Amino acid sequence: MSRGARRAGAGRGTAAVRLLVTLSLLPGVVEAQVTGVLDDCLCDVDSIDKFNTFKIFPKMKKLQERDYFRYYKVNLKRPCPFWAEDGHCSIKDCHVEPCPESKIPVGIKAGSSNKYLKEANNTKELEDCEQANKLGAINSTLSNQSKEAFIDWARYDDSQDHFCELDDERSPTAQYVDLLLNPERYTGYKGPSAWRVWNSIYEENCFKPRSVYRPLNPLAPSRGEDDGESFYTWLEGLCLEKRVFYKLISGLHASINLHLCANYLLEETWGKPSWGPNIKEFKRRFDPVETKGEGPRRLKNLYFLYLIELRALSKVAPYFERSIVDLYTGNVEDDADTKTLLLDIFQDTKSFPMHFDEKSMFAGDKKGAKSLKEEFRLHFKNISRIMDCVGCDKCRLWGKLQTQGLGTALKILFSEKEIQKLPENSPSKGFQLTRQEIVALLNAFGRCHCI
């Protein structure tokens, strides 16, 4: 973490800033070991720090405060598809406060199509437009030809492209959540229920070789014979794609753990909680001595996650640069400012000189590469379903959002041909993003951009 980034965070009251404060208090030995070139790419930690500090961080903070990106529709009541639930966490800090209907910007709310497509009332395709309006990212004035294409777009089933199990936004149990009022932080949710979720993710979905017996979950209650950093020699025997998969999940886990350490429930006096950095908890999870050298690897995997999502933003820029795409909330002036800010961020992502090369993945013989890519996609989709097994609502909210954000990034990286073929003035049937995916993508990047 660069010192400039720490100074950039001074005085700001968000969870991201508390994360920066936490990192600024770390022993020098941790910082000294999280350096150098990342595995499986040509990028180094210092270059990412400088780029993030001076170009990305300030703008991303502003973007996340915009109405379009602060309201996220999510279903926190979907049943766990893999095991009988242990029951939801009864700790009050696990609770997610849904957004009242009156607070949701008119252009974001699902409902009458004229809130999204002002000309759509003149068509007989109202039902299809009603489904399509939930995407919330389409210009409010469309030609007849564009409207017809838009309806086709809404009907298009791209489940084969999805790396995540998406929530049905039409479900009566789906609700809007104000992400700024429900920050990611440590709620007290832990124990067998939390361990079971991460154990299922690591042991059943991260391509763990049968010859490896020690649990991959860094916080597993029993790790058997623990030889620290040297344990990870098993990764060297995996193909690039499986190494990437593991590092992304490890990076995602590191991101979640960092935010929990940065925004920790320290004490509660007279019913008023006190939140702040917990250095002891951070050291337990990341200190090179306490983790036998594994902690810095986990933090490096967070940098790798940052690189992947940064690359996805640079690749998806043409989708948003089209005049047909608006980030529509109903406030024309604010919407224009939001799009200008987003495009500015995209321009910055394009300028990064050491992007991860996704073309190095799935580059073998076509049949084998296709099979491996599908296995990769299904494993990640499975992880997105496991997020419905998290017992704490607030943990589930941020787990689902960050998993969906990373899944959207992967969808973008492997849809290059479809993105290149996007029409300028009409929706595309070949590649599309729902508003849910857009919000998840930028907010997920916002969780790891403050590394």
Side-chain angles (χ1 to χ4, degrees):
M1 168 57 60
S2 66
R3 290 175 177 82
R6 296 168 192 165
R7 289 194 296 271
R12 295 173 184 166
T14 64
V17 173
R18 281 189 284 272
L19 173 59
L20 296 175
V21 173
T22 298
L23 292 179
S24 72
L25 298 174
L26 295 181
V29 65
V30 177
E31 184 175 352
Q33 293 198 31
V34 186
T35 187
V37 177
L38 301 179
D39 294 336
D40 293 319
C41 62
L42 299 176
C43 187
D44 63 277
V45 168
D46 289 342
S47 295
I48 296 175
D49 273 335
K50 291 176 183 176
F51 181 78
N52 178 61
T53 299
F54 297 109
K55 289 203 169 186
I56 298 298
F57 176 75
K59 295 174 184 177
M60 278 300 305
K61 183 178 183 298
K62 291 180 181 178
L63 189 76
Q64 288 174 283
E65 293 171 351
R66 296 282 182 170
D67 280 354
Y68 188 88
F69 290 100
R70 69 183 289 181
Y71 297 104
Y72 178 62
K73 196 165 190 181
V74 61
N75 187 349
L76 298 175
K77 299 186 183 302
R78 287 179 62 169
C80 172
F82 299 108
W83 56 77
E85 295 185 71
D86 302 316
H88 280 274
C89 179
S90 59
I91 303 172
K92 66 178 182 179
D93 294 307
C94 288
H95 175 67
V96 170
E97 190 64 40
C99 191
E101 184 79 10
S102 60
K103 297 290 186 181
I104 306 167
V106 65
I108 291 178
K109 280 188 275 190
S112 300
S113 59
N114 61 3
K115 294 176 182 175
Y116 296 85
L117 303 172
K118 295 176 182 176
E119 294 184 4
N121 290 328
N122 299 324
T123 76
K124 63 181 180 179
E125 307 286 0
L126 196 59
E127 183 177 344
D128 290 301
C129 285
E130 203 163 42
Q131 178 184 358
N133 68 35
K134 296 174 185 175
L135 303 176
I138 299 301
N139 196 306
S140 59
T141 54
L142 301 175
S143 66
N144 288 332
Q145 182 181 4
S146 295
K147 283 185 287 187
E148 291 174 5
F150 185 81
I151 292 164
D152 286 339
W153 184 23
R155 290 173 176 154
Y156 174 69
D157 178 12
D158 63 345
S159 60
Q160 293 303 306
D161 300 325
H162 282 150
F163 282 76
C164 282
E165 181 101 353
L166 300 181
D167 283 345
D168 182 358
E169 296 189 65
R170 296 168 296 179
S171 169
T173 53
Q175 57 190 357
Y176 283 100
V177 173
D178 185 336
L179 297 175
L180 298 184
L181 297 181
N182 292 276
E184 182 181 22
R185 57 192 181 190
Y186 180 75
T187 63
Y189 174 66
K190 58 184 178 180
S193 177
W195 175 82
R196 190 178 193 180
V197 168
W198 283 108
N199 185 66
S200 180
I201 289 172
Y202 279 111
E203 301 301 309
E204 299 169 17
N205 293 282
C206 282
F207 300 101
K208 178 182 175 181
R210 293 183 179 179
S211 58
V212 176
Y213 297 105
R214 201 199 85 175
L216 300 187
N217 182 358
L219 297 180
S222 175
R223 290 159 64 89
E225 189 173 334
D226 191 344
D227 48 2
E229 168 66 9
S230 62
F231 162 72
Y232 290 93
T233 54
W234 66 270
L235 270 174
E236 299 171 6
L238 297 184
C239 63
L240 170 64
E241 293 79 5
K242 293 180 180 180
R243 291 199 305 272
V244 166
F245 191 100
Y246 170 78
K247 288 194 289 186
L248 289 177
I249 299 305
S250 174
L252 178 64
H253 198 185
S255 173
I256 291 171
N257 282 332
L258 276 174
H259 283 86
L260 301 188
C261 294
N263 206 357
Y264 203 92
L265 181 59
L266 301 176
E267 60 181 351
E268 189 164 357
T269 306
W270 300 103
K272 292 185 178 181
S274 173
W275 305 87
N278 187 325
I279 303 302
K280 182 179 179 180
E281 187 64 28
F282 177 91
K283 292 180 69 176
R284 185 173 78 89
R285 298 170 189 254
F286 297 106
D287 182 82
V289 175
E290 293 198 25
T291 63
K292 297 185 178 180
E294 292 186 38
R297 173 185 285 273
R298 297 168 194 162
L299 292 174
K300 277 194 169 185
N301 288 339
L302 174 55
Y303 278 90
F304 188 80
L305 171 66
Y306 178 94
L307 269 188
I308 293 294
E309 294 185 346
L310 181 73
R311 178 60 166 167
L313 293 183
S314 71
K315 300 288 283 188
V316 81
Y319 177 88
F320 291 93
E321 289 167 350
R322 298 175 301 155
S323 59
I324 193 176
V325 176
D326 276 343
L327 305 175
Y328 188 60
T329 68
N331 186 320
V332 176
E333 186 174 339
D334 282 357
D335 293 347
D337 289 343
T338 301
K339 183 172 181 180
T340 298
L341 177 59
L342 181 63
L343 295 183
D344 193 24
I345 292 172
F346 285 147
Q347 284 301 116
D348 286 338
T349 65
K350 291 179 184 179
S351 71
F352 186 69
M354 291 176 281
H355 275 296
F356 176 78
D357 181 12
E358 71 282 356
K359 291 181 181 178
S360 62
M361 296 177 64
F362 310 113
D365 69 279
K366 288 186 177 181
K367 185 176 181 181
K370 184 177 180 180
S371 174
L372 180 59
K373 183 178 177 181
E374 180 64 4
E375 188 180 12
F376 187 104
R377 186 185 73 84
L378 291 177
H379 276 233
F380 194 88
K381 193 169 185 177
N382 215 39
I383 290 174
S384 74
R385 299 178 69 206
I386 293 173
M387 289 300 161
D388 283 319
C389 300
V390 176
C392 162
D393 276 354
K394 189 161 288 181
C395 306
R396 182 183 290 206
L397 164 66
W398 286 102
K400 285 169 73 81
L401 181 142
Q402 291 178 81
T403 304
Q404 185 179 17
L406 176 53
T408 303
L410 293 172
K411 171 182 172 179
I412 291 166
L413 289 183
F414 302 120
S415 300
E416 183 176 19
K417 292 181 180 179
E418 290 79 7
I419 293 174
Q420 289 175 345
K421 296 176 182 177
L422 288 170
E424 172 60 33
N425 297 311
S426 63
S428 165
K429 287 189 276 186
F431 178 83
Q432 60 194 29
L433 292 174
T434 66
R435 180 180 174 275
Q436 190 182 44
E437 289 175 305
I438 295 168
V439 173
L441 172 66
L442 271 300
N443 274 284
F445 183 63
R447 306 315 292 164
C448 67
H449 82 269
C450 43
I451 47 181

